[in-house]
C-alpha cells in the first residue's frame, strides 16, 4: 500500500496545486479584465508613446500601458518573488480597464507620487504602511501602501507607477496597453483603428483570457512531467510488491485449492485484496495530500484547493488497474500449476 500512498500524496499535491493556480488565475482574469482591446508586441516592449496614441484613437475612452516585471517582498520574515505591474499614466483610468477587486484603499492614490504601491491581499500589510520591496535590479524601496486588492493572480501581485520601476528593468517600455471603448463606440471600428498602428497585435477580451490560460498551462508542464516520472517509479514499485506478495502465497493458494476452492474463487479473493490495497492507498494518500493542500492553496491562491474530475478519475483508475493487474497476472500463473506441485515447492 505504501507506494500507492506516496504517489497519491505527492502527485496529488503537486497536480492539485497546479490546477488550483490555473483555475484561480483563470477566474481572476475573466472577472478582472474589463478592457475591450489589448495591444501587445513580440519584442521586449511596445514603442514609446503607444498608450498615448491609443488614447487618441477614435472611439477610445481610456488606454493604460502596463509594464510586466517582478519585485521581491518580505513576508513573515522570508523573502519571496512576486509578479508586478508598472502602471503608465493616470492610475484613475486603470479602473476602466481592470477590476482587481479592491478590498481597501484606492488605486487612484497610486499616482499621487512615485512612492506608492498597491498589493494583492496575500501580500498586503495595512493601508498607509510602508512596504519593503526590491525592484528588478535589486534596488530597495519602501513605498506607501495605498490599496489592497484580491485579483492579483493573472495580473500582478504588486502595482507601482511606471516611473518607479521603469529605470530598474532591462527595457522600461510598456508590455501591453489596455484599451476601453467609449460608450456607444463600434468595437470593430476601434479594433481596426488600433490595428492600423502597425507591428502590434490587437486582441479582444476573450483572446486575452485564452492567452492567459494557455500561458498558465505551459508554465505548469514541469510539474506535470515531475509528477509523471514519480508516478512511473511508484507504479513499478507497487507492481513489484504486489507480484511478490502473490507469488509468495503459492502454498496458501495450493492449500485453498486442495480444500475445494475453485480457481474463480481464488481469483476473486485476490481481486478483492487488490481493490482493498488500492482503496486504502488512495484514501490515505488523499488525506495526506488534502492536509497539505488546504494551507498551501489558501496561501498562494487565497482559495480552497480546486480538484477537477479530470485529475481525480485518471489517478484513481490508474491505481486500481495497477493493483488489479499486478495481482491478477501472477495469480493466473499460480492457478495454472497443479496444487500438489505448488504445495510441495519451496518458498
Amino acid at each position: 500500500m505504501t507506494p500507492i500512498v506516496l504517489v497519491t500524496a505527492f502527485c496529488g499535491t503537486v497536480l492539485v496545486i497546479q490546477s488550483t493556480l490555473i483555475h484561480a488565475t483563470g477566474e481572476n482574469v475573466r472577472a478582472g479584465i474589463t478592457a475591450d482591446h489589448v495591444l501587445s508586441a513580440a519584442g521586449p516592449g511596445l514603442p514609446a508613446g503607444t498608450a498615448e496614441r491609443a488614447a487618441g484613437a477614435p472611439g477610445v475612452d481610456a488606454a493604460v500601458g502596463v509594464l510586466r516585471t517582478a519585485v521581491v517582498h518580505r513576508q513573515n520574515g522570508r523573502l519571496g518573488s512576486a509578479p508586478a505591474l508598472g502602471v503608465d499614466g493616470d492610475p484613475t483610468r486603470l479602473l476602466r480597464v481592470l477590476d482587481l477587486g479592491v478590498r481597501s484603499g484606492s488605486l487612484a492614490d497610486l499616482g499621487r507620487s512615485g512612492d506608492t504601491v498597491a498589493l494583492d491581499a496575500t501580500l498586503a500589510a495595512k493601508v498607509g504602511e510602508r512596504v519593503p520591496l526590491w525592484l528588478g535590479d535589486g534596488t530597495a524601496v519602501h513605498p506607501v501602501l495605498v490599496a489592497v486588492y484580491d485579483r492579483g493572480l493573472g495580473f500582478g501581485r504588486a502595482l507601482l507607477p511606471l516611473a518607479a520601476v521603469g529605470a530598474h528593468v532591462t527595457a522600461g517600455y510598456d508590455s501591453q496597453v489596455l484599451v476601453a471603448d467609449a460608450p456607444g463606440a463600434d468595437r470593430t471600428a476601434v479594433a481596426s483603428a488600433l490595428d492600423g498602428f502597425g507591428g502590434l497585435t490587437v486582441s479582444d477580451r476573450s483572446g486575452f483570457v485564452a492567452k492567459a490560460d494557455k500561458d498558465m498551462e505551459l508554465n505548469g508542464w514541469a510539474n506535470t512531467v515531475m509528477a509523471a516520472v514519480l508516478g512511473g517509479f511508484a507504479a513499478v514499485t507497487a507492481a513489484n510488491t504486489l507480484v511478490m506478495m502473490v507469488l509468495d502465497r503459492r502454498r496458501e493458494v495450493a492449500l485453498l485449492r486442495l480444500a475445494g476452492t475453485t480457481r474463480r474463487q481464488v481469483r476473486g479473493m485476490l481481486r478483492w485484496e487488490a481493490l482493498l490495497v488500492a482503496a486504502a492507498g488512495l484514501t490515505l494518500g488523499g488525506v495526506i495530500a488534502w492536509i497539505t493542500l488546504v494551507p498551501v492553496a489558501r496561501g498562494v491562491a487565497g482559495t480552497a484547493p480546486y480538484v477537477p474530475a479530470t485529475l481525480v478519475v485518471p489517478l484513481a483508475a490508474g491505481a486500481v488497474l495497477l493493483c488489479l493487474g499486478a495481482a491478477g497476472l501472477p495469480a493466473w500463473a499460480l492457478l495454472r500449476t497443479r496444487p500438489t506441485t505448488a504445495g510441495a515447492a519451496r518458498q
Side-chain angles (χ1 to χ4, degrees):
M1 185 177 68
T2 301
I4 304 298
V5 173
L6 291 176
V7 70
T8 303
F10 187 83
C11 293
T13 300
V14 171
L15 295 177
V16 170
I17 287 177
Q18 177 179 308
S19 67
T20 301
L21 286 173
I22 292 175
H23 178 74
T25 299
E27 291 293 314
N28 281 354
V29 171
R30 279 184 283 272
I33 183 69
T34 56
D36 298 294
H37 313 278
V38 179
L39 303 182
S40 58
L46 298 172
T50 300
E52 289 77 7
R53 292 176 60 198
V60 172
D61 180 52
V64 179
V66 292
L67 166 66
R68 292 191 175 271
T69 180
V71 296
V72 174
H73 62 93
R74 186 188 300 275
Q75 189 174 31
N76 299 325
R78 298 181 179 180
L79 296 179
S81 178
L85 290 181
V87 181
D88 184 10
D90 186 359
T92 58
R93 295 184 175 273
L94 189 65
L95 305 177
R96 289 283 292 112
V97 295
L98 286 179
D99 178 10
L100 297 179
V102 176
R103 179 180 296 186
S104 60
S106 173
L107 292 178
D109 294 333
L110 193 65
R112 68 187 183 191
S113 71
D115 192 26
T116 53
V117 66
L119 293 178
D120 181 82
T122 57
L123 305 180
K126 295 181 180 179
V127 171
E129 293 183 348
R130 288 195 173 272
V131 181
L133 297 174
W134 289 263
L135 303 180
D137 60 354
T139 300
V141 294
H142 293 78
V144 177
L145 181 63
V146 296
V148 178
Y149 53 90
D150 290 323
R151 300 189 183 114
L153 282 175
F155 297 108
R157 294 194 168 187
L159 298 182
L160 300 102
L162 180 62
V165 299
H168 302 279
V169 296
T170 303
Y173 301 104
D174 293 337
S175 305
Q176 296 170 323
V177 173
L178 309 178
V179 179
D181 294 345
D186 186 345
R187 184 170 298 182
T188 303
V190 174
S192 298
L194 296 174
D195 196 40
F197 289 177
L200 303 181
T201 300
V202 181
S203 59
D204 58 10
R205 190 179 308 168
S206 59
F208 178 82
V209 172
K211 185 178 184 304
D213 290 341
K214 183 178 180 180
D215 289 343
M216 281 298 299
E217 292 177 358
L218 290 176
N219 290 337
W221 72 270
N223 288 336
T224 303
V225 171
M226 180 172 62
V229 171
L230 179 69
F233 281 114
V236 172
T237 303
N240 182 67
T241 302
L242 289 170
V243 168
M244 296 302 296
M245 179 187 73
V246 173
L247 292 178
D248 194 51
R249 297 167 64 186
R250 57 173 59 90
R251 287 190 174 183
E252 175 187 336
V253 171
L255 182 60
L256 287 172
R257 293 180 62 193
L258 289 172
T261 306
T262 64
R263 287 186 174 88
R264 182 178 180 181
Q265 289 172 326
V266 172
R267 285 194 296 267
M269 177 191 71
L270 295 175
R271 189 180 303 118
W272 279 108
E273 289 179 356
L275 290 173
L276 177 62
V277 169
L282 288 169
T283 301
L284 184 56
V287 170
I288 295 172
W290 190 257
I291 292 173
T292 305
L293 282 167
V294 171
V296 173
R298 292 289 183 186
V300 300
T303 184
Y306 176 71
V307 187
T310 53
L311 173 62
V312 175
V313 173
L315 184 61
V320 170
L321 292 175
L322 173 69
C323 292
L324 289 175
L329 291 177
W332 175 80
L334 283 181
L335 293 174
R336 293 187 63 191
T337 307
R338 295 175 60 87
T340 52
T341 304
R346 297 181 61 185
Q347 293 284 2

